[in-house]
Amino acid sequence: MVLESTLTCPECGTVKTETMPVDACQFFYDCTGCGKLLRPAPGGR
Ligand SMILES: [Zn+2]
């Protein structure tokens, strides 16, 4: 199972949709705009 999470950087507003495995609950993503580490919330929570 794979989820798509839309990540919006709170720092620079860069939006990117990432596809990740559902078990990647500790997945961290670094913003392509400013390099800030983001933690996506699969399922919207
Ligand atoms: Zn950013």
Side-chain angles (χ1 to χ4, degrees), residues 5-43:
S5 288
T6 302
L7 313 174
T8 306
C9 178
E11 296 297 318
C12 68
T14 298
V15 179
K16 185 172 181 176
T17 302
E18 282 287 303
T19 304
M20 67 193 68
V22 69
D23 61 348
C25 58
Q26 295 298 317
F27 181 86
F28 284 85
Y29 169 76
D30 55 304
C31 173
T32 54
C34 66
K36 182 179 179 67
L37 278 180
L38 307 178
R39 186 176 58 193

